[in-house]
Amino acid sequence: MVRPRDMAVDGKVLAAAGEELRHRGYDGLSIDRVAERAGVAKTTIYRRWPSKAELVVALIAHLREDVPFAPTDDPRGDLTNLVATIAAGLAATPPALVADLAAAAAREPRVGDRVRALWAERHAAVTAVVANAQQQGLVLDHVAPETLVDQLVGPLYYRLLVTGEPLSADYARTLVDSVLGKEPR
Amino acid sequence: MVRPRDMAVDGKVLAAAGEELRHRGYDGLSIDRVAERAGVAKTTIYRRWPSKAELVVALIAHLREDVPFAPTDDPRGDLTNLVATIAAGLAATPPALVADLAAAAAREPRVGDRVRALWAERHAAVTAVVANAQQQGLVLDHVAPETLVDQLVGPLYYRLLVTGEPLSADYARTLVDSVLGKEPR
Amino acid sequence: MVRPRDMAVDGKVLAAAGEELRHRGYDGLSIDRVAERAGVAKTTIYRRWPSKAELVVALIAHLREDVPFAPTDDPRGDLTNLVATIAAGLAATPPALVADLAAAAAREPRVGDRVRALWAERHAAVTAVVANAQQQGLVLDHVAPETLVDQLVGPLYYRLLVTGEPLSADYARTLVDSVLGKEPR
Amino acid sequence: MVRPRDMAVDGKVLAAAGEELRHRGYDGLSIDRVAERAGVAKTTIYRRWPSKAELVVALIAHLREDVPFAPTDDPRGDLTNLVATIAAGLAATPPALVADLAAAAAREPRVGDRVRALWAERHAAVTAVVANAQQQGLVLDHVAPETLVDQLVGPLYYRLLVTGEPLSADYARTLVDSVLGKEPR
DNA sequence: AGATAATCGAGACGGTACGTCCCGTCTTGCT
DNA sequence: AGCAAGACGGGACGTACCGTCTCGATTATCT
C-alpha cells in the first residue's frame, strides 16, 4: 500500500560506505560523503540507519562471509580448518574496524546485540565441532566445550586487538594442537 | 628566564581526561570539555600534547596499575591467582574503555605502542609463571608457553569485548584447569 | 466514471491548517504536520492546493467573520461601535497571525489579493459610515473620507503590529473623538 | 584578555545578508549562503547572532538611517517633513520585510524589543513635534499627542501592510492637514 | 628595579560533520 | 480517479568539536 523502498539504495549506500571505511577509517567515514558517493540523499540514509554506527554494523553484516563448514569424520581436521578460516577472516579485516565494532557494541546496546549475533555464528560452529571431537574422545572431557572454544577463538581476538601479533594459519594449528594434544600419529 | 610550566596543570588535565574517557569513550573525549572540566585553557592542553591521541597516550601511562605478583613454589596456585587478578582488573574496567583503547591503538601507532606496553607487563608475568610450571612438568611441553598464555588471557578479552559474558574468578580457575589439567589429587 | 473527491477532506485540512497557522505562524505551518493532524495523506493536500501559499489563501477565506453592522441615525455612535468592534476583533487575534498574513500577502500576490479582500470589507463599512457622518456635517469636510478611515483603522494595526500597545474600547473612542471632535454636548 | 572580535566580520556579514535579503527575501536568506558570500564560517555568524531573525534585526538596525530632524519655528512644516521622511523610508523598504519584522517581533520577545526600539525613535520624534505644535495652539488640544501620532504614523503602516496602497509625499501632507486642519492661509 | 620571555586564561575563527525538519514529487496498491 | 502511506532528492537548520590564532595578564629569571 505504500511505495516500497528502493532496493538498489541499500546496495549503493553500503558499497559507498565500504569504500569510505576502507580508505578513511571509521572516524573518517562521513555520512555526507557516503550520500554523495552513492548518489543518494542524506535523509535516505538516515531513514534506513539511524546512525553511523548502525550503518557500519549493517555494512559488516553485509560483508560477512559465511564460514563454509562441512563436517567430516576428522574432527581435528575440521577444527583446524575452522579456526584457520576464522583467523584468515579476522586477519583480512582492519583491526581498527573490529575494535570500533567492539567499542560501539559496548556503548550502544542495539549495536551490541547485532555485533554479538554476528560473531555468535562462528562461535556456534566451533562449539559444535568441539563437542563432536569431545564425544569421540579426542579432548580431555573434564573441560566444558564452551571453555575450549574460548581458548581456541579468544586468542585470535587477543592477538588482533591486544598484542598486535599476526594471525597465521600456523597459529591456528598451534592452538588446536594445544587443545587436542599433539597429533597422535 | 622564562616562566616555568605549572606542574599542577598536567595532573588536572589528565584527571579530567580520564573521567571523560571513562564516561564517554575515546571518540566522545572532547578537548573543549576536558579544558573546561580541568579549569584550564584549551591552548594550554595543546601546548603540552599536540593532539587528542597524544593526550590519551599520556593518560594511559597514568592509568597503569601494578599487577602485584609474588611467585611461590606452587605454580598452579600462582597461575590461578594471576589470571584471577587480571580477570578482576578487566571486569572492573568499563568494556567500552578497553575497546576504545584497542581501537585507538589500531589507528594511531604511538597510542598502540603505549597500549601494548600496558598489557605487555601482565602478559610477561603470566608467561614467566607458565614457563616455570612447564619446567616443573605441570604442563604438556609440546606447546610453547606463549601459546598457553594466549589461551589463558585471550579468553578474558574475548569475553569482555566479543561475547560480553561475565569474568568471574571461577572462570579464571576453569581456564587454568583446562590448560594444566584437572587438579591431580 | 471517476471517484468523487471526499468533501470532508477540505474541511479537515483547513481546520488543521488553521490550528497550525494560529499556533506556529505562516513559516511554521508545515504541510507534513497538517496532513498528520488532519488524518490525511500529504498527496491529498497537494492535489487540491498546489502550494502552501494557496492553502493559506483558501484558509483565509474561511477565517473571515462578518462585521455585523447596523447603521442608525447616530453616525458618531455607529462609528464608535464599528471601530470598537474592529479593535476587539483584532485584539482577539494573535498579533503574530496578523503579521504573518501581512508578510505572506506581501510575498505572494495571490495571498495578497485574498488578504486585502478580507480587510477590505471592514474598510468599506467604515468608509460608508464616515462618508455619512461627513454629509451630516459632523466632520471637517476638507479631508477625504478615505484619509479619515486610514486614521481610524490604521492606528489599530499600528499598535497591534508596531508598538505593541493594547487595543481597548476606550482607545477606539479616543480615535473617533479625535476625528469627529469632542462630543458636542 | 581575550582575542577581540574581528570588527570587519560584522560588516562583511551584514553586507552579505543585506544582499541576500534584497535579492531573495527573508525566507530565501540562508545562513550558509551568507557565510559563503561573506567569506566567513557559519559558526562565526552564529556566535554573534543566535538566529536568522536576530541577524535580520541587526541588519535593519544597521540599515537604519537617522531621521534627520531639525525643528524650526514652523511646526506644520516640521511635521510634514517628518511624516514625509518616514513615509519615504517605509516606501523604500520591501513591505514583506517590514511584515516579517512585525511577525518575528510578535513571536520572539527579544526580537520584539529590538524592533520596537527601532520604530520608537521615529515615534518619539513625531511625538515631540506634535506636542510642540499643540503648545502653539495649532492642534485641537482635547486629544492626547500620542493619539495624534498614531493617526499620523499608523496610516503609513496600514497602507504598507494592509491595503497595499502607495505611500507618497502627498499622502503625508494629507495626513498632516487632516490632523492640523487645512493650511490657515 | 626593570626588561625579557614563556605560560596561561579566554575565547574568536575557519572548517567539517552531525542529525533533524520540511519541501514538493514520486510510486504503490486499496477503495 | 481518489486516497493513504511513505520513499525519495534536495536544501537549510543550528550544534558540537577540531586545531589555530590572537590577546592581555601573570610569573619567573637575567641584567
Side-chain angles (χ1 to χ4, degrees):
Chain A
M1 190 178 181
V2 302
R3 174 178 178 180
R5 290 200 171 167
D6 183 340
M7 291 312 207
V9 165
D10 275 75
K12 285 191 292 183
V13 170
L14 290 175
E19 289 282 300
E20 288 286 308
L21 195 58
R22 249 185 294 289
H23 295 345
R24 303 200 175 233
Y26 183 90
D27 262 43
L29 184 150
S30 131
I31 301 280
D32 281 290
R33 241 196 325 271
V34 169
E36 192 182 13
R37 196 197 267 262
V40 142
K42 203 173 35 153
T43 28
T44 299
I45 296 182
Y46 278 107
R47 201 171 292 117
R48 291 159 190 246
W49 302 280
S51 73
K52 196 162 118 173
E54 297 268 357
L55 172 58
V56 172
V57 168
L59 180 55
I60 301 302
H62 204 246
L63 293 179
R64 181 190 69 81
E65 314 137 32
D66 296 304
V67 180
F69 156 62
T72 67
D73 53 357
D74 171 18
R76 175 185 289 269
D78 285 357
L79 207 50
T80 305
N81 277 341
L82 197 50
V83 175
T85 304
I86 293 177
L90 280 180
T93 311
L97 189 48
V98 179
D100 278 329
L101 284 180
R107 229 174 280 282
E108 314 237 18
R110 279 178 42 65
V111 178
D113 294 346
R114 301 236 202 142
V115 173
R116 273 187 290 278
L118 192 62
W119 306 136
E121 242 178 298
R122 304 170 178 197
H123 194 95
V126 184
T127 307
V129 181
V130 166
N132 187 12
Q134 221 167 23
Q135 276 179 334
Q136 301 193 15
L138 285 178
V139 202
L140 302 77
D141 61 356
H142 70 273
V143 185
E146 293 77 28
T147 304
L148 294 177
V149 173
D150 287 357
Q151 289 183 318
L152 286 169
V153 181
L156 300 178
Y157 287 90
Y158 182 58
R159 285 196 151 196
L160 185 74
L161 298 177
V162 179
T163 68
E165 283 171 291
L167 297 179
S168 62
D170 248 41
Y171 183 61
R173 197 163 18 250
T174 306
L175 288 172
V176 175
D177 284 354
S178 169
V179 163
L180 296 192
K182 194 75 175 182
E183 184 77 40
R185 199 157 337 282
Chain B
M1 185 181 183
V2 301
R3 172 176 177 183
R5 290 199 173 165
D6 182 339
M7 292 314 210
V9 165
D10 278 73
K12 285 192 292 184
V13 171
L14 290 175
E19 288 283 299
E20 289 286 309
L21 192 59
R22 244 184 297 287
H23 296 344
R24 306 214 178 216
Y26 184 88
D27 265 42
L29 175 76
S30 134
I31 301 282
D32 281 290
R33 240 193 330 266
V34 169
E36 192 184 13
R37 197 197 266 263
V40 143
K42 224 183 357 163
T43 336
T44 303
I45 296 180
Y46 277 106
R47 197 173 296 115
R48 291 159 194 244
W49 302 280
S51 72
K52 197 160 114 171
E54 295 282 340
L55 173 58
V56 172
V57 166
L59 181 55
I60 291 162
H62 244 236
L63 289 181
R64 193 189 64 77
E65 314 149 29
D66 296 305
V67 180
F69 154 64
T72 67
D73 52 358
D74 170 19
R76 174 185 289 267
D78 285 357
L79 207 48
T80 306
N81 277 340
L82 196 50
V83 174
T85 303
I86 292 177
L90 281 180
T93 312
L97 180 52
V98 179
D100 277 331
L101 287 182
R107 242 192 299 280
E108 311 260 0
R110 283 180 45 68
V111 178
D113 293 346
R114 295 290 181 114
V115 173
R116 275 188 288 280
L118 190 62
W119 307 136
E121 251 178 290
R122 305 172 179 193
H123 195 94
V126 184
T127 306
V129 179
V130 168
N132 187 13
Q134 223 166 20
Q135 276 179 337
Q136 299 193 15
L138 284 179
V139 201
L140 302 76
D141 60 358
H142 70 274
V143 184
E146 294 77 28
T147 304
L148 294 178
V149 173
D150 287 357
Q151 291 183 317
L152 286 169
V153 182
L156 301 178
Y157 287 90
Y158 182 58
R159 286 197 149 196
L160 186 73
L161 298 177
V162 180
T163 67
E165 283 169 292
L167 298 178
S168 62
D170 246 39
Y171 183 62
R173 201 167 315 116
T174 305
L175 288 172
V176 175
D177 283 353
S178 169
V179 163
L180 295 191
K182 194 77 176 182
E183 185 75 43
R185 197 155 335 282
Chain C
M1 186 184 181
V2 302
R3 172 176 176 184
R5 288 197 173 167
D6 182 339
M7 292 312 210
V9 165
D10 277 74
K12 284 191 294 183
V13 170
L14 290 174
E19 288 283 299
E20 288 285 310
L21 192 59
R22 246 185 294 290
H23 295 344
R24 305 210 178 221
Y26 183 89
D27 265 40
L29 174 77
S30 135
I31 301 282
D32 281 291
R33 241 194 329 267
V34 169
E36 192 184 13
R37 197 197 267 262
V40 142
K42 223 180 1 160
T43 337
T44 303
I45 296 180
Y46 277 106
R47 194 172 299 115
R48 290 159 193 247
W49 301 279
S51 72
K52 196 161 115 172
E54 294 284 339
L55 173 58
V56 172
V57 165
L59 181 55
I60 289 162
H62 244 237
L63 289 180
R64 193 190 65 77
E65 314 149 27
D66 296 307
V67 179
F69 155 62
T72 66
D73 54 357
D74 170 19
R76 173 185 291 267
D78 285 357
L79 208 50
T80 306
N81 277 341
L82 196 49
V83 174
T85 304
I86 294 176
L90 281 180
T93 312
L97 179 53
V98 179
D100 276 332
L101 287 181
R107 243 192 299 280
E108 312 259 0
R110 283 179 46 67
V111 178
D113 293 346
R114 295 289 181 115
V115 172
R116 273 188 288 279
L118 189 62
W119 307 136
E121 250 178 291
R122 304 173 179 191
H123 195 92
V126 183
T127 307
V129 180
V130 167
N132 186 12
Q134 224 167 19
Q135 276 180 336
Q136 299 193 15
L138 284 177
V139 200
L140 301 77
D141 59 358
H142 69 273
V143 185
E146 293 77 28
T147 305
L148 294 178
V149 174
D150 288 358
Q151 290 183 319
L152 286 170
V153 181
L156 300 178
Y157 288 89
Y158 182 59
R159 285 197 151 196
L160 186 73
L161 299 177
V162 181
T163 68
E165 282 170 291
L167 296 178
S168 61
D170 245 38
Y171 183 61
R173 201 167 315 115
T174 305
L175 288 172
V176 175
D177 283 353
S178 168
V179 163
L180 296 192
K182 194 78 176 179
E183 184 77 41
R185 203 155 332 283
Chain D
M1 190 177 180
V2 302
R3 174 177 177 181
R5 291 200 170 167
D6 184 338
M7 290 314 205
V9 165
D10 275 75
K12 285 190 293 184
V13 170
L14 290 175
E19 289 282 299
E20 288 285 308
L21 195 58
R22 249 184 293 288
H23 296 346
R24 303 202 177 232
Y26 184 89
D27 262 44
L29 184 150
S30 131
I31 301 280
D32 281 289
R33 239 192 330 266
V34 169
E36 193 181 12
R37 195 196 268 262
V40 143
K42 202 172 35 154
T43 29
T44 299
I45 296 182
Y46 278 106
R47 201 171 292 119
R48 290 159 191 246
W49 302 280
S51 72
K52 197 161 117 171
E54 297 268 357
L55 172 59
V56 172
V57 168
L59 179 55
I60 300 302
H62 204 244
L63 293 179
R64 180 190 70 81
E65 313 137 32
D66 295 305
V67 180
F69 156 62
T72 66
D73 52 357
D74 172 18
R76 174 184 289 267
D78 285 357
L79 207 50
T80 306
N81 277 341
L82 198 49
V83 174
T85 304
I86 293 177
L90 281 180
T93 312
L97 188 50
V98 179
D100 278 330
L101 285 180
R107 229 174 280 283
E108 314 239 15
R110 279 179 42 67
V111 178
D113 293 346
R114 299 236 205 144
V115 173
R116 272 188 289 280
L118 192 61
W119 306 137
E121 242 177 297
R122 304 171 178 195
H123 195 94
V126 184
T127 306
V129 180
V130 168
N132 186 11
Q134 222 168 23
Q135 277 180 334
Q136 300 194 16
L138 286 178
V139 203
L140 302 78
D141 60 357
H142 69 274
V143 185
E146 294 77 28
T147 304
L148 295 177
V149 173
D150 287 359
Q151 290 183 317
L152 286 170
V153 181
L156 302 178
Y157 288 90
Y158 181 59
R159 287 196 149 197
L160 186 74
L161 298 177
V162 180
T163 67
E165 283 170 289
L167 296 177
S168 62
D170 248 39
Y171 183 61
R173 198 166 12 250
T174 305
L175 289 171
V176 174
D177 284 353
S178 168
V179 162
L180 295 192
K182 194 76 175 182
E183 183 77 41
R185 200 159 342 281

